[in-house]
């Protein structure tokens, strides 16, 4: 990707600067994977023209779209400049917005060289995850974000440095209006970006939109608007809407969130999706001394990463045929779906898996090679073993066949769930893969303390607020999000019951935002 990106020269596509070589390379790539790789999802016309309207103060203002795709934003204003990496889209943008100047090339490279400045910067930057957004391109992007004052971590998705680097190209008093992923409301890297925006603009505003702007992708999209470049603010204006509504200016905020409140909420905006009354109740209970967070009682981590699941997990019949002794095998929980609703994993569950010949036996080898029995060494040297040792995770550990972090936890949490989150006691003493989170209690706390505090509506609501929606009704909890789950002690339960209705209202609202009942 990096080579392709830097191989391009900047060019005005109207003068036919697209080389033949790049055209034929473009053709070879599958359209779908390219759309994903470059984050090519185009903004509906009404959204693009509304964002341009919010950002323009005078007809003579010049706008920039740093990743203009096929030119939807450029077509909404007379004085527009667009940058687009993909030559085919750059050409369409030029055709669609003939008055605009379209440069075909890589935005961060262009931004580091240009002396142009704009009154408004608008668009829908690509959402490319760090695996694809790598090498020199990422270094350059993160460097420009840093110049803006946003110290973004390596794992930041591409949209965040796009917002930061674009802002540097504004004239004083300028505005930005971007379609951004709903991740802005929960991703760890959104916090340094929002803090930097507050240090550089008079007004920072976020509009959460429940109905999907892009029905073809699972991620929700929200809107980020900031005005008065060169100023500062101590608050974020936040508004949530069912549908995106075209309007002359940014809608009136429902909440003015002070930066202190935002930081106290650990840089997460999801709680402001709650109705005001539910938010007040939530914040009252989270401050109550009788309400703990799971992280103060227990450690939550991802399960082990084998690096080659099908090699390292055997069916009982396979282990018998290979003559591998139980001494080298551990029963493993491999899917969140296998967690029992009764919230206790017992030896009876394990017996059933074994009787059904499920692939649940982890090959757990800690000895040096020469100490391992011949049967195990033969399996390691089999074709499957040769393939497994070439897998990335196996290659990068020594010895390749020792799966690290295999521990028996006190319990499990499903990290992804289409319904409610389960906290399950590990009576069966199983281990678990990274399809689940493993929970280990801290000294002084018993697993039943956590389980007893997990069943009420406050804890349930906290799962929705502290986790995040993955689209399609799925709730995802990263370990640090799971550690934020509220666990009331018995002393707080009576008060929680008295507020049950308000908390349930909040729960219903959060479930709407995770599209749990959408078609
Ligand atoms: C989400 S699309 C948005 C396009 C347009 N702004 C819209 O909303 O309709 C993102 C665009 O960024 C382009 N892109 C991806 N990486 C880029 C880069 N480093 N420099 C310039 N454009 C890039 C993609 O080809 C894609 O057309």
């Amino acid at each position: 990707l990096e080579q392709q990106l830097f191989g391009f020269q900047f060019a005005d596509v109207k003068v036919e600067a697209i080389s033949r070589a790049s055209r034929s390379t473009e053709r070879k790539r599958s359209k779908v994977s390219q759309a994903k790789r470059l984050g090519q999802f185009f903004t509906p016309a009404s959204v693009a023209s509304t964002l341009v309207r919010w950002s323009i103060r005078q007809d003579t203002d010049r706008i920039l779209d740093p990743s203009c795709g096929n030119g939807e934003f450029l077509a909404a204003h007379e004085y527009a400049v667009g940058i687009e990496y993909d030559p085919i889209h750059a050409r369409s943008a030029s055709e669609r917005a003939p008055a605009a100047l379209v440069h075909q090339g890589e935005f961060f490279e262009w931004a580091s060289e240009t002396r142009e400045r704009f009154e408004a910067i608008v668009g829908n930057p690509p959402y490319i995850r760090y695996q694809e957004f790598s090498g020199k391109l990422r270094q350059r992007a993160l460097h420009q974000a840093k110049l803006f004052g946003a110290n973004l971590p390596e794992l930041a998705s591409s949209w965040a440095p796009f917002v930061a680097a674009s802002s540097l190209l504004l004239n004083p008093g300028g505005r930005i209006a971007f379609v951004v992923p709903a991740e802005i409301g929960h991703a760890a890297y959104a916090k340094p970006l929002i803090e930097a925006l507050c240090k550089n603009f008079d007004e920072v505003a976020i509009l959460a939109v429940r109905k999907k702007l892009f029905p073809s992708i699972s991620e929700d999209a929200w809107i980020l608007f900031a005005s008065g470049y060169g100023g500062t603010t101590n608050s974020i204006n936040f508004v949530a809407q069912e549908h995106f509504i075209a309007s002359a200016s940014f809608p009136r905020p429902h909440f003015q969130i002070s930066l202190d409140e935002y930081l106290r909420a650990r840089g997460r905006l999801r709680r402001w999706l709650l109705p005001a009354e539910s938010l007040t109740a939530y914040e009252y209970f989270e401050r109550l001394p009788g309400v703990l967070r799971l992280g103060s009682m227990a450690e939550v981590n991802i399960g082990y990463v084998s690096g080659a699941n099908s090699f390292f997990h055997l069916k009982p019949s396979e282990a018998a045929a290979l003559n591998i002794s139980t001494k080298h095998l551990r029963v493993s929980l491999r899917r969140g779906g296998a967690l029992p609703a009764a919230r206790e994993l017992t030896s009876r569950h394990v017996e059933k898996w074994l009787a059904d010949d499920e692939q649940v036996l982890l090959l757990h080898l800690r000895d040096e090679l020469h100490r391992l029995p011949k049967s195990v060494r033969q399996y390691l040297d089999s074709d499957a073993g040769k393939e497994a040792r070439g897998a990335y995770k196996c290659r990068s550990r020594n010895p390749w066949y020792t799966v690290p972090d295999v521990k028996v936890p006190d319990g499990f949490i499903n990290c992804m769930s289409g319904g409610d989150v389960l906290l399950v006691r590990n009576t069966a003493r199983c281990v678990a893969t990274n399809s689940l989170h493993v929970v280990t209690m801290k000294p002084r706390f018993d697993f039943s303390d956590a389980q007893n505090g997990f069943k009420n509506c406050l804890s349930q609501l906290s799962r929705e607020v502290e986790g995040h929606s993955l689209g399609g009704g799925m709730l995802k909890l990263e370990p640090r999000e799971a550690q934020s789950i509220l666990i009331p002690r018995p002393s707080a339960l009576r008060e929680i019951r008295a507020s049950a209705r308000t908390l349930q209202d909040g729960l219903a609202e959060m479930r709407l935002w995770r599209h749990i009942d959408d078609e």
Side-chain angles (χ1 to χ4, degrees):
L1 176 74
E2 190 190 309
Q3 229 172 15
Q4 286 150 7
L5 288 178
F6 289 100
F8 285 114
Q9 289 300 309
F10 292 118
D12 182 337
V13 285
K14 283 182 280 190
V15 292
E16 285 292 327
I18 306 161
S19 74
R20 233 176 247 150
S22 73
R23 264 189 218 154
S24 72
T25 331
E26 285 303 318
R27 259 185 238 119
K28 276 185 215 144
R29 283 193 216 127
S30 109
K31 272 195 173 164
V32 176
S33 66
Q34 170 163 314
K36 237 181 141 176
R37 214 167 39 87
L38 292 178
Q40 291 175 329
F41 298 99
F42 299 137
T43 308
S46 72
V47 178
S49 60
T50 303
L51 265 54
V52 170
R53 209 164 151 202
W54 294 351
S55 315
I56 294 300
R57 298 282 183 269
Q58 287 171 18
D59 290 345
T60 51
D61 282 355
R62 260 172 26 113
I63 63 166
L64 169 74
D65 181 341
S67 57
C68 69
N70 58 9
E72 199 63 70
F73 285 85
L74 307 183
H77 187 65
E78 203 179 338
Y79 303 105
V81 175
I83 315 296
E84 171 55 48
Y85 158 65
D86 183 320
I88 295 168
H89 290 310
R91 184 194 287 272
S92 323
S94 209
E95 283 163 10
R96 188 191 206 122
L101 183 66
V102 179
H103 296 296
Q104 184 251 313
E106 197 286 305
F107 168 67
F108 294 101
E109 191 176 3
W110 182 82
S112 67
E113 288 166 7
T114 189
R115 287 167 178 237
E116 294 201 53
R117 292 295 178 266
F118 301 86
E119 280 68 49
I121 305 189
V122 292
N124 173 13
Y127 317 159
I128 310 171
R129 300 213 172 270
Y130 73 101
Q131 295 94 330
E132 291 279 5
F133 184 59
S134 53
K136 269 194 201 151
L137 170 63
R138 179 165 63 196
Q139 293 312 320
R140 196 189 289 267
L142 296 184
H143 172 70
Q144 287 176 29
K146 206 169 180 177
L147 294 179
F148 177 65
N151 222 337
L152 299 178
E154 290 278 318
L155 295 188
S157 167
S158 62
W159 67 269
F162 258 88
V163 168
S166 302
S167 303
L168 289 170
L169 304 179
L170 283 172
N171 278 322
R175 281 81 51 198
I176 55 169
F178 285 113
V179 179
V180 292
E183 264 170 28
I184 195 167
H186 67 261
Y189 59 83
K191 187 164 121 236
L193 177 68
I194 290 185
E195 285 182 286
L197 289 168
C198 289
K199 284 195 184 119
N200 284 284
F201 286 92
D202 280 336
E203 181 199 1
V204 174
I206 289 170
L207 164 62
V209 187
R210 197 184 80 78
K211 285 269 179 199
K212 287 197 173 302
L213 290 181
F214 306 100
S216 66
I217 57 172
S218 58
E219 174 115 45
D220 285 354
W222 291 7
I223 308 290
L224 166 68
F225 176 73
S227 66
Y229 183 61
T232 57
T233 178
N234 270 328
S235 59
I236 303 155
N237 289 338
F238 186 81
V239 52
Q241 283 178 349
E242 176 68 7
H243 300 271
F244 181 86
I245 302 166
S247 58
S249 55
F250 189 87
R252 241 166 66 103
H254 296 161
F255 293 103
Q256 196 173 33
I257 305 163
S258 75
L259 256 185
D260 283 350
E261 285 174 287
Y262 174 70
L263 295 177
R264 243 182 284 131
R266 285 155 280 113
R268 298 172 57 90
L269 291 165
R270 283 174 61 79
R271 65 179 57 202
W272 285 281
L273 295 172
L274 291 171
E277 219 181 309
S278 309
L279 174 62
T280 309
Y282 187 73
E283 295 193 329
Y284 169 77
F285 284 118
E286 73 179 348
R287 283 196 287 265
L288 212 63
V291 176
L292 304 184
R293 291 200 190 265
L294 183 57
S296 61
M297 312 171 94
E299 269 187 38
V300 182
N301 291 302
I302 56 168
Y304 65 81
V305 179
S306 79
N309 274 335
S310 59
F311 174 77
F312 284 106
H313 295 94
L314 299 171
K315 294 179 178 178
S317 61
E318 290 168 335
L322 292 164
N323 197 20
I324 296 180
S325 129
T326 50
K327 193 175 136 202
H328 299 296
L329 299 169
R330 310 296 299 266
V331 180
S332 172
L333 180 63
R334 295 191 55 200
R335 293 175 299 113
L339 283 175
R343 288 151 214 245
E344 183 168 6
L345 185 73
T346 65
S347 52
R348 291 182 65 173
H349 296 105
V350 171
E351 279 157 21
K352 174 144 188 0
W353 297 343
L354 299 179
D356 292 347
D357 203 25
E358 289 195 33
Q359 202 180 356
V360 291
L361 298 176
L362 168 72
L363 188 61
H364 187 219
L365 308 172
R366 281 154 300 172
D367 296 332
E368 291 163 42
L369 198 59
H370 68 274
R371 290 180 187 275
L372 294 172
K374 192 168 167 213
S375 58
V376 171
R377 277 186 279 134
Q378 274 172 344
Y379 182 55
L380 296 180
D381 272 342
S382 65
D383 287 347
K386 285 180 186 137
E387 198 184 320
R389 74 184 67 177
Y392 173 72
K393 283 281 173 194
C394 302
R395 262 189 290 141
S396 38
R397 68 187 178 219
N398 190 13
W400 70 271
Y401 54 77
T402 298
V403 176
D405 304 321
V406 178
K407 289 181 197 127
V408 175
D410 296 314
F412 308 100
I413 284 191
N414 43 348
C415 49
M416 209 139 66
S417 125
D420 194 15
V421 180
L422 299 175
L423 177 65
V424 171
R425 184 192 282 275
N426 184 17
T427 311
R429 299 192 51 77
C430 288
V431 295
T433 67
N434 63 337
S435 312
L436 290 113
H437 292 333
V438 291
V439 180
T440 306
M441 299 312 294
K442 292 187 174 173
R444 292 193 302 112
F445 291 103
D446 186 74
F447 196 74
S448 46
D449 294 332
Q451 255 186 338
N452 291 341
F454 207 77
K455 285 182 276 192
N456 54 82
C457 55
L458 174 68
S459 185
Q460 220 180 345
L461 176 58
S462 73
R463 266 104 81 177
E464 304 287 336
V465 170
E466 309 296 345
H468 62 272
S469 157
L470 269 197
M474 298 304 284
L475 179 74
K476 175 102 203 258
L477 283 160
E478 303 293 351
R480 86 190 149 86
E481 293 176 322
Q483 289 185 343
S484 298
I485 294 173
L486 297 179
I487 308 284
R489 310 288 272 165
S491 59
L493 289 177
R494 206 153 58 102
E495 223 182 320
I496 290 168
R497 271 196 295 274
S499 297
R501 246 185 94 169
T502 315
L503 296 169
Q504 295 285 5
D505 287 349
L507 191 58
E509 185 65 28
M510 292 311 286
R511 287 178 166 231
L512 285 177
W513 282 88
R514 87 150 126 137
H515 307 284
I516 208 162
D517 295 321
D518 289 9
E519 310 258 304

